[in-house]
Amino acid sequence: MRTLWATERLLAWTMAFSLVVGIGLFGALAYLDRLNTLDEAKENLRRTVGLMEGHARIAIEAEGVVLSNMAALLADTEPAALRESAQAWDRLSRLKGEMPAIQSLWILDARGDVALTSVQRDLPRMNFADREYFSVHTGPTDVGTFISPMIWGRVTGGFLFAVSRAVRAPDGTLRAVVESSIDATHFVSFYESLKPVSGASFVLFRDDADVVLRFPLPEQEVRLNSARSPLFATLLKQAPEGVVLARSTLDGVERLGAYKRVAGWPLVVFAGIPLDTVFDGWWARTQRNALLIGGVLTALCGMIGFGIRNVRRERQAEAAAQAANLRLDLVLNAAGAGVFTIDLRTGVVDWGPGIRTIFGFPEDEPARLERWMAVIVPEDRDRVDAIRRATLAERRAHVTFEYRIAHPTLGERWVLAASNVQYAADGTPLRTVGVNFDVTRLKQAEIQAERARDEALAAKDHALRAKAEAERANLAKSKFLAAASHDLRQPVQSLVLLLASVESHARERPALARAVAMMEGALGALNRLLTSLLDVSRLDAGVVAPSPTDLSAADLLRKLDAEYRLRAEQRGLRLRTAVCPAWVRSDPVLLERILRNLLENALQYTREGGILLGCRRRGGKVLLQVFDTGAGIPEDQQETVFEEFFQMHNPGRDQSKGLGLGLAIVKRIARLLGATVGVRSTPGRGSCFTVTLDAVAAPTERAAPARRAVAPSGGALLIIEDDAIVRVGLQMMVEGWGYRVAAAASGEEALVLVAERGVDPDAVVADYRLGEGMNGVQAVLAVRHTFGRPVPAVIVTGDTAPERIQEVHSSGIGILHKPYGAEELRQRLAELLTERTRAAVGGG
């Protein structure tokens, strides 16, 4: 009785606790969901601002190149003479056509009169002296490249902003102003391609808070300034990028926004979302969750209330049972409870009081075997009768079985019967004595336990399926990143080429040269990070297939010694190499990559002492080892160092100290090659990394090493590249090396240059992906077919899929992977022209 009272109170407290916890959980989840929604919005805005900053920076830098080319038209010509020069107008038109962001190009004389424009060769004379992009250059001080606020084009129409630069005489007087009008819709289209949410906005500011570009575009020209906004008042003074929540001074709307300075330019990019829009999804989810949790709490309280009612009924039943037990004990002492006897010879049946209680038989009802059989449920009746007959037929002395009965008031009940049969000496059955027990509650508990077990098995199966799905999703991510390598490498390649062109113009200007050097360092870090991430993803995705061959460990170690000895000496370290006459079968490129990464690590973390690169034989194995006297690795971190982005001595994530991916790549490549990699280290004394491979027998003959090409001078190149920025940057760079260049955006256009304009290239440089139509391999083969000779060529590509690389190799054309450096391309061009010279001499 006390237990039932305690159970009832426990259920009541459970109901109250469930309500409190449910409401509290709903509030906590809603609050965390709001924070998560805000964080996601901030991250999306940071990503959008980063993309817009990169797009703006590349476009403005490209405009700087265009302005330099326009200024070159005035090197030997006065502005007034340009209007009559068809060559100058053609050159200006080509410059405009090469840059899709440009709306028009203008050359204004010192009075502001139009000397030449790409809009129309015979444009009536006009004057733009009142425009700020002209008047700012009329002072005695050279303001450099000027970016104007957003204006409406007088001639071309539409919103634009101008990028201008003064062209001055040697004495500093103004000769002309070159100006490029950038179409605002170009930036708007790029921003819309990012799929911004409804109500989102984008603004490009100058440092003086004037609006250079705004999305959505205004209905009419108006000069806007946000100098009083928190962005310019405080935030930009504290950090060059960040997130702000403030009310706009332009339209009064409260927005969550992100901002970032454009590197190298007096510009600030801002992207914002109205605060109400940010939380639209959160509010809908909160309402839906409120209904869901409310329904769950209602159902839970109903179930608990039902349980309380049942406990009360059970408590009442228990009180009645206790009173009955007192009476039952008196009966059990005399006749026993639930006991029955059957005289098998006469068929007389006797029921004790307990039997009547169990089966619900009235006290005055005669005991009959047929009555007992009738109360058994029909599904069990034949089975019970068969058990009874088999027991007598087989002369069994004891039998136990369960069956169900239809109690007249309690419904279906479970009964356990245990009987003993007495037989005569000749085997004749005499009587049956047995006991019946009501085991309904026990059976119900067994059924519930079985149901709970089935539910637990189902939950386990669901968890295993979820784990498998997560593993498949992770593999799909890695495969996607590996397949997307071309699209990731393309913009980096554009920056490499453009930076190489800018470097050639910066040698005479120390300040600009230092800035270019810093940009090269940052671009190098980005390139290393991108290459490492793509390497990890390609290795995880299983798209890297090794090409094993027999190679000499001594040759490999001598090659690395020659390359790293000078670098070690520059760091004040001693590099010693101990070779052994061992051969292994492995992929030479991948194995060299492992040892390079280990040497780079040793150089990075060794301040004094030296490095030992060596090999040794141990049984049927070859051990390639890199020893250093660096800081060492604690024992508890000697497994962790092979994880991604783990660095022991770089808490500030200084990219000059590496990215924390080198050893992760080493472990993956070793697994791919069937090798093992391990480390032994003592903190303060140094480390030893060991790569273990199977030894093979040395071959009988050795191949002679290839000779390095010597760069010839000059030559005619045909460049096929669909990306305008890469094409222009590549053309400018190789022209600076003395080559004559013809450039095409597709294979079809290249064939037109060859067939109709008489272009006869000494070599072809083609991107693999050229949009619709022919790819790079098909374009090169078509050019060779046109000339009837194997024109030397190289395919440049950022695509790392094995089938793409195999296609290029099968065509017999060389391949150069993006992003490549200027010197790497220059050497490859020298090799191509050497090949052309060798073919010409052999053919003559």
Side-chain angles (χ1 to χ4, degrees):
M1 183 67 71
R2 291 181 179 179
T3 301
L4 291 175
W5 272 108
T7 302
E8 183 176 346
R9 289 196 298 271
L10 178 60
L11 289 174
W13 278 107
T14 301
M15 179 184 295
F17 179 77
S18 299
L19 289 173
V20 173
V21 170
I23 295 173
L25 181 62
F26 168 74
L29 290 177
Y31 177 74
L32 293 176
D33 189 23
R34 180 183 175 90
L35 293 180
N36 185 56
T37 299
L38 189 61
D39 289 342
E40 288 181 356
K42 290 179 180 179
E43 184 61 28
N44 289 335
L45 286 170
R46 289 191 187 99
R47 184 164 54 249
T48 298
V49 163
L51 293 172
M52 293 304 297
E53 183 273 340
H55 187 69
R57 173 166 42 81
I58 292 174
I60 297 300
E61 289 173 353
E63 292 302 314
V65 175
V66 171
L67 293 180
S68 297
N69 289 332
M70 293 171 65
L73 296 176
L74 296 167
D76 300 316
T77 307
E78 290 300 317
L82 291 178
R83 179 179 286 268
E84 305 302 325
S85 174
Q87 183 179 3
W89 190 82
D90 289 340
R91 178 59 177 162
L92 201 65
S93 299
R94 284 198 302 272
L95 286 175
K96 175 185 178 299
E98 291 172 350
M99 301 297 295
I102 296 177
Q103 187 188 74
S104 57
L105 299 175
W106 301 79
I107 300 179
L108 310 178
D109 61 19
R111 297 185 303 275
D113 292 329
V114 177
L116 187 64
T117 177
S118 65
V119 176
Q120 182 179 334
R121 182 176 177 183
D122 55 350
L123 186 72
R125 296 188 179 276
M126 300 181 68
N127 184 278
F128 292 91
D130 60 328
R131 286 291 199 185
E132 184 180 7
Y133 59 76
F134 174 85
S135 62
V136 74
H137 297 292
T138 57
T141 303
D142 189 356
V143 299
T145 302
F146 175 76
I147 301 173
S148 76
M150 185 168 62
I151 57 176
W152 181 266
R154 293 177 180 174
V155 178
T156 57
F159 283 104
L160 56 90
F161 65 91
V163 181
S164 63
R165 187 184 298 168
V167 179
R168 298 185 180 273
D171 60 357
T173 60
L174 181 66
R175 292 183 58 215
V177 173
V178 291
E179 181 264 330
S180 173
S181 299
I182 299 180
D183 192 347
T185 59
H186 173 77
F187 282 85
V188 170
S189 298
F190 179 81
Y191 181 64
E192 289 178 336
S193 70
L194 302 179
K195 296 181 174 56
V197 300
S198 175
S201 62
F202 160 72
V203 185
L204 182 63
F205 292 101
R206 295 194 312 194
D207 272 354
D208 59 2
D210 276 346
V211 174
V212 176
L213 182 65
R214 178 188 178 192
F215 173 84
L217 294 173
E219 297 180 356
Q220 59 184 4
E221 180 177 352
V222 57
R223 185 160 183 166
L224 301 174
N225 186 280
S226 294
R228 293 182 294 115
S229 69
L231 177 62
F232 286 89
T234 58
L235 294 178
L236 280 173
K237 298 176 181 178
Q238 299 171 357
E241 61 180 300
V243 178
V244 60
L245 177 61
R247 191 172 299 278
S248 172
T249 59
L250 300 179
D251 56 14
V253 176
E254 187 176 16
R255 287 185 174 87
L256 175 67
Y259 65 91
K260 185 176 183 181
R261 285 189 179 277
V262 178
W265 296 94
L267 298 172
V268 178
V269 176
F270 175 86
I273 306 175
L275 195 59
D276 292 339
T277 303
V278 171
F279 292 113
D280 281 347
W282 170 81
W283 178 240
R285 290 192 301 273
T286 300
Q287 290 178 317
R288 184 173 61 251
N289 291 340
L291 293 176
L292 178 62
I293 292 179
V296 171
L297 289 176
T298 300
L300 181 60
C301 290
M303 294 172 61
I304 294 175
F306 183 77
I308 292 175
R309 186 183 64 177
N310 287 344
V311 169
R312 289 176 178 173
R313 289 181 176 177
E314 189 172 350
R315 183 159 47 83
Q316 295 169 357
E318 184 175 1
Q322 288 177 349
N325 285 339
L326 295 175
R327 296 189 298 270
L328 183 59
D329 288 340
L330 298 176
V331 176
L332 289 175
N333 290 332
V339 178
F340 67 90
T341 59
I342 303 175
D343 191 330
L344 299 176
R345 292 169 298 180
T346 63
V348 176
V349 179
D350 181 54
W351 291 335
I355 291 294
R356 296 183 179 276
T357 302
I358 292 173
F359 290 87
F361 296 148
E363 292 292 334
D364 56 348
E365 182 175 353
R368 294 179 298 111
L369 184 61
E370 294 78 8
R371 180 70 176 96
W372 169 69
M373 291 292 295
V375 80
I376 300 174
V377 299
E379 293 83 355
D380 293 351
R381 191 175 300 155
D382 292 338
R383 178 176 59 84
V384 171
D385 185 65
I387 292 173
R388 186 176 64 85
R389 294 180 183 276
T391 300
L392 298 177
E394 297 170 5
R395 301 294 190 267
R396 286 184 284 178
H398 179 75
V399 64
T400 301
F401 55 94
E402 294 178 345
Y403 58 97
R404 293 169 295 171
I405 64 170
H407 195 281
T409 58
L410 300 179
E412 186 177 286
R413 310 291 289 177
W414 280 91
V415 176
L416 172 64
S419 304
N420 290 328
V421 182
Q422 298 176 358
Y423 297 91
D426 60 355
T428 302
L430 302 177
R431 68 180 58 81
T432 298
V433 179
V435 180
N436 282 332
F437 301 94
D438 188 338
V439 293
T440 302
R441 291 184 181 179
L442 179 61
K443 294 296 295 183
Q444 289 175 344
E446 291 177 356
I447 293 172
Q448 291 176 357
E450 184 176 359
R451 185 182 298 116
R453 183 171 61 254
D454 293 341
E455 291 175 354
L457 291 175
K460 179 180 179 181
D461 182 65
H462 177 74
L464 292 175
R465 290 197 302 270
K467 179 183 178 182
E469 186 65 25
E471 293 174 349
R472 287 195 295 272
N474 185 55
L475 179 59
K477 177 267 297 180
S478 294
K479 288 187 176 180
F480 164 76
L481 188 56
S485 62
H486 174 274
D487 298 329
L488 293 173
R489 293 175 188 264
Q490 188 76 342
V492 176
Q493 182 63 69
S494 302
L495 291 177
V496 170
L497 296 176
L498 290 174
L499 192 58
S501 299
V502 173
E503 182 182 14
S504 64
H505 295 286
R507 294 171 182 169
E508 303 301 327
R509 301 175 64 181
L512 181 57
R514 287 194 297 271
V516 170
M518 294 174 65
M519 292 169 65
E520 287 179 335
L523 183 58
L526 173 62
N527 188 15
R528 291 192 298 272
L529 176 60
L530 175 61
T531 301
S532 297
L533 287 174
L534 291 174
D535 285 346
V536 170
S537 68
R538 292 173 60 232
L539 289 168
D540 285 345
V543 300
V544 177
S547 300
T549 184
D550 292 346
L551 59 99
S552 167
D555 288 348
L556 176 58
L557 266 57
R558 290 191 186 102
K559 174 183 177 183
L560 293 173
D561 177 85
E563 181 174 341
Y564 280 91
R565 181 172 295 276
L566 179 59
R567 290 184 57 190
E569 292 175 355
Q570 290 172 345
R571 292 174 176 260
L573 304 174
R574 299 186 309 277
L575 173 61
R576 294 186 297 120
T577 300
V579 301
C580 64
W583 284 70
V584 297
R585 182 167 183 80
S586 185
D587 187 304
V589 175
L590 295 177
L591 181 58
E592 182 178 330
R593 177 68 182 278
I594 290 178
L595 294 178
R596 284 183 181 277
N597 282 12
L598 295 179
L599 284 171
E600 292 290 345
N601 257 31
L603 288 172
Q604 185 68 50
Y605 294 106
T606 303
R607 297 182 177 274
E608 59 182 2
I611 299 169
L612 172 62
L613 173 63
C615 72
R616 65 177 68 179
R617 293 287 296 265
R618 181 169 294 173
K621 302 290 184 180
V622 175
L623 277 59
L624 303 180
Q625 296 179 306
V626 178
F627 295 83
D628 65 63
T629 58
I633 306 169
E635 184 176 358
D636 60 348
Q637 295 184 352
Q638 291 180 11
E639 290 295 330
T640 313
V641 294
F642 291 100
E643 297 179 359
E644 296 91 338
F645 301 106
F646 179 83
Q647 290 180 298
M648 290 180 51
H649 308 292
N650 191 11
R653 303 303 296 177
D654 182 359
Q655 292 188 355
S656 67
K657 296 182 179 179
L659 305 168
L661 290 173
L663 292 181
I665 293 175
V666 164
K667 184 176 182 180
R668 285 168 166 82
I669 296 178
R671 184 167 58 244
L672 183 65
L673 296 178
T676 60
V677 60
V679 59
R680 292 182 290 106
S681 181
T682 301
R685 299 185 61 184
S687 304
C688 171
F689 286 87
T690 301
V691 182
T692 305
L693 304 102
D694 292 329
V696 297
T700 57
E701 296 183 358
R702 297 279 302 276
R707 297 181 59 187
R708 186 173 178 88
V710 178
S713 60
L717 297 181
L718 173 59
I719 294 175
I720 311 174
E721 170 62 65
D722 62 328
D723 190 298
I725 296 178
V726 176
R727 186 171 65 251
V728 172
L730 180 58
Q731 181 175 355
M732 292 173 60
M733 183 172 65
V734 297
E735 284 177 346
W737 296 340
Y739 290 97
R740 303 184 305 279
V741 178
S746 65
E748 291 78 8
E749 185 178 339
L751 294 179
V752 171
L753 292 177
V754 170
E756 299 181 3
R757 300 190 183 181
V759 173
D760 185 5
D762 295 318
V764 179
V765 179
D767 187 16
Y768 178 83
R769 293 192 180 185
L770 297 174
E772 298 181 356
M774 292 186 289
N775 59 32
V777 172
Q778 295 167 341
V780 170
L781 295 178
V783 171
R784 289 180 172 179
H785 178 75
T786 301
F787 285 102
R789 57 181 171 84
V791 180
V794 63
I795 297 295
V796 295
T797 180
D799 198 328
T800 56
E803 59 270 17
R804 299 288 180 271
I805 298 175
Q806 182 60 39
E807 179 185 356
V808 178
H809 286 315
S810 299
S811 69
I813 305 171
I815 188 170
L816 187 60
H817 291 283
K818 296 180 180 179
Y820 51 83
E823 287 304 318
E824 186 179 3
L825 175 62
R826 193 170 189 172
Q827 178 62 29
R828 183 58 66 89
L829 292 178
E831 294 171 356
L832 293 179
L833 294 183
T834 301
E835 178 184 342
R836 169 65 187 272
T837 303
R838 188 182 303 115
V841 172

